[in-house]
Amino acid sequence: MTSHSDAYPAGLPIGDRWVHCAETVPVIFPFDGSVVAHAPVGSAALASQALDAAQGVAKEVERLSTGTKRSILLAVHHKISEHREELENLLVLETGKPLVDCRVEVARTLTTWAAAAEEVAHLRGETVPLDLQASGDGMIGYWTRKPAGIVIGIAGFNYPLLLASHKLAPALAAGCPIIIKPAPNTPLSTLWAVHLIREALAAHQVSTAAVQLVTGGIEVGETLVADPRSAVVSFTGSAAVGHQIAKNAAPRKAVLELGSNTGFIVAEDADIHAAVDAVLRGGFYANGQACISIQRVLLDEKIAGDFQRELLARIGEIVVGDPRSEQTLVAPLINKASTERVLSWIGKAKERGAQVLAGGGLLGESIQPTILVGVPADAELWCEEIFGPVICLRTVPDLDAAFELVNESRYGLQAAIFSKSLKTAFRAIDELEVGGVVVNEIPGFRSDIMPYGGVKDSGIGREGPRFAMEEFTVTRMAIIRP
């Protein structure tokens, strides 16, 4: 089995080579604090160098044939598949997510590359009847899609390989060079993936500068985002950072996939057992560090007692421990600062009258799967994104009240509802102010071929290969008088 430490060259993939970095930083395994590897740290100067290189190959990438792009995307899929197990294990070490979640991440990554390879042939325009107006008689009109230019991809720490692929695959499919910036805590799997992509590019006689990676802090991100050569910035992360990125990028396009505090409604006619199962699966996966993990559970008062009793009876099914174990479902958060923040929010909610029904403290270095009731509507646990293994229950008199509470949030990424009624399901789809509504499944059920994204403070634009490809292109209108 290949070790990630010798799977790709040292340094950063900038231009057509790997550039040495004088500074490195340890990547820490959250479970025990051990050092996984020392990752290269980039700089603003290296970011500028990457932009120069991307500009230099932009025309080459734009002119790639559809067949060549499809072949490259399939080659990347094959290469990632060959290293599937190694990437799964590396993700466990750098993110601290349980192995079961890292397996899901790699599987979804493979779906993303395969889907991009299929969608690349569907990037097209259409003809327009210009003779709709008298002055257009005899004229020909149509529009096409053209690559927007250099894409800057900035990914979050929680799903580093997948979130990077959500940007890398559509950018290549659209004919855009891309510079990816992984989260400082989790650069290793993305470095490996970029190496595999560049190998595929080289095998197709395409400049490897089409895909580059720069690590580093705020100064690196600001250099990439603010440069006028960057045509599109695609960011996944917190709302506060996303808002600043949008300001720095203006007037150029920013595609933002930001945070949430997902609402989960259990109607009076719901299958309670299935709904409890969904909360157990959807509230604690990835250690709760997922933007669409269940946070706010709204229970119709007619079933609230039964639901709560079954949930508490089954909370012990969530195994807390070493993320390398196949049985573990919750492990330590990405770092101590995150753990302290979540525990602080729990403490402040308790001071204001919230009651902890399960968990609420530490088991080793892991936050126990936690369930609370009575959390005030303006408490951080309710109105902000927890990003930890914590859910809040609230009883509501009816669906009207449930919908109103979901919509009160400044966020709007995804929501879910459990009900046996199609009328209720379609009402939720129509009335909930979110980017996606999931019926009778966890809100974390995210298809990588659907238009994924949010409204309000949860962002703007859509991901998924087909939809990100459209975000990374611009329309070009053509009007001809023969």
Side-chain angles (χ1 to χ4, degrees):
M1 180 182 294
T2 305
S3 167
H4 67 87
S5 60
D6 55 16
Y8 49 85
L12 291 173
I14 295 175
D16 58 2
R17 61 193 180 93
W18 287 70
V19 177
H20 171 74
C21 295
E23 183 184 354
T24 62
V25 65
V27 176
I28 303 299
F29 181 30
F31 178 69
D32 61 13
S34 61
V35 176
V36 179
H38 286 82
V41 178
S43 63
L46 288 176
S48 295
Q49 187 176 327
L51 284 162
D52 291 341
Q55 185 180 35
V57 299
K59 288 298 182 185
E60 176 191 355
V61 180
E62 178 181 348
R63 291 169 182 156
L64 291 176
S65 71
T66 300
T68 297
K69 290 187 289 188
R70 183 175 185 273
S71 182
I72 292 169
L73 293 163
L74 289 174
V76 174
H77 177 276
H78 178 70
K79 285 177 175 290
I80 292 174
S81 182
E82 284 185 321
H83 296 284
R84 184 172 191 155
E85 184 177 350
E86 296 100 317
L87 285 165
E88 290 167 352
N89 292 330
L90 177 56
L91 283 166
V92 172
L93 295 177
E94 71 170 336
T95 69
K97 291 204 309 274
L99 177 60
V100 62
D101 296 314
C102 294
R103 286 175 174 165
V104 170
E105 178 172 358
V106 176
R108 289 180 58 193
T109 297
L110 289 169
T111 297
T112 296
W113 286 95
E118 295 307 310
E119 290 292 346
V120 71
H122 300 154
L123 194 64
R124 55 175 78 105
E126 63 181 63
T127 57
V128 179
L130 295 183
D131 59 357
L132 187 64
Q133 57 193 64
S135 59
D137 285 351
M139 297 182 70
I140 298 168
Y142 65 92
W143 59 267
T144 59
R145 286 192 173 274
K146 295 293 184 181
I150 299 170
V151 173
I152 305 300
I154 304 176
F157 73 83
N158 54 334
Y159 282 81
L161 180 64
L162 177 63
L163 296 177
S165 294
H166 281 166
K167 305 167 194 318
L168 290 161
L172 286 175
C176 299
I178 178 170
I179 303 169
I180 197 82
K181 181 183 181 296
N185 296 39
T186 56
L188 302 178
S189 58
T190 313
L191 275 165
W192 197 345
V194 166
H195 172 60
L196 297 175
I197 297 165
R198 285 162 67 100
E199 283 187 334
L201 290 169
H204 287 78
Q205 289 79 52
V206 177
S207 172
T208 55
V211 174
Q212 303 175 83
L213 184 151
V214 185
T215 56
I218 294 174
E219 72 286 351
V220 170
E222 289 179 343
T223 299
L224 295 171
V225 168
D227 195 291
R229 293 173 292 181
S230 299
V232 184
V233 178
S234 177
F235 170 76
T236 304
S238 71
V241 175
H243 296 170
Q244 188 59 52
I245 282 175
K247 292 176 183 177
N248 292 347
R252 289 159 293 112
K253 181 187 286 187
V255 180
L256 306 175
E257 197 265 276
L258 308 178
S260 192
N261 55 358
T262 304
F264 180 93
I265 300 171
V266 186
E268 66 172 298
D269 64 344
D271 181 330
I272 294 176
H273 181 76
V276 168
D277 183 72
V279 169
L280 293 172
R281 289 185 291 117
F284 305 111
Y285 73 97
N287 304 328
Q289 295 172 129
C291 51
I292 46 179
S293 64
I294 295 169
Q295 181 169 332
R296 300 179 296 154
V297 179
L298 306 170
L299 305 168
D300 188 287
E301 62 185 8
K302 301 176 189 64
I303 53 86
D306 291 339
F307 180 96
Q308 184 173 303
R309 279 189 291 273
E310 180 169 346
L311 179 62
L312 293 177
R314 295 182 59 191
I315 192 66
E317 296 175 13
I318 307 298
V319 178
V320 180
D322 187 333
R324 293 167 292 191
S325 168
E326 297 196 3
Q327 285 70 48
T328 296
L329 298 176
V330 167
L333 300 186
I334 188 67
N335 53 37
K336 289 185 178 180
S338 294
T339 300
E340 291 170 357
R341 175 187 56 78
V342 174
L343 291 175
S344 170
W345 285 11
I346 294 171
K348 286 191 282 186
K350 288 169 61 180
E351 290 173 0
R352 298 184 58 194
Q355 180 185 358
V356 176
L357 301 182
L362 291 175
L363 182 59
E365 297 299 318
S366 304
I367 295 177
Q368 297 169 305
T370 299
I371 302 170
L372 301 98
V373 293
V375 177
D378 60 348
E380 290 148 317
L381 281 187
W382 186 265
C383 65
E384 294 300 328
E385 183 175 44
I386 298 174
F387 234 57
V390 181
I391 61 172
C392 307
L393 308 181
R394 180 172 295 188
T395 299
V396 294
D398 51 32
L399 283 174
D400 289 341
F403 287 6
E404 183 178 351
L405 281 170
V406 171
N407 290 341
E408 274 182 0
S409 175
R410 71 185 180 100
Y411 296 108
L413 195 48
Q414 288 199 178
I417 185 167
F418 267 67
S419 172
K420 295 176 183 176
S421 164
L422 275 176
K423 180 179 179 181
T424 298
F426 284 116
R427 183 184 167 197
I429 293 167
D430 286 341
E431 295 184 23
L432 293 179
E433 298 168 0
V434 292
V437 176
V438 182
V439 180
N440 294 333
E441 206 14 293
I442 65 170
F445 183 88
R446 172 181 172 182
S447 172
D448 295 289
I449 57 174
M450 291 281 274
Y452 178 78
V455 298
K456 300 190 281 189
D457 275 4
S458 286
I460 188 170
R462 293 296 180 262
E463 290 191 333
R466 172 185 171 186
F467 308 96
M469 284 165 59
E470 293 181 355
E471 299 283 6
F472 297 164
T473 58
V474 292
T475 57
R476 182 170 298 170
M477 179 181 69
I479 297 175
I480 305 170
R481 184 178 293 281

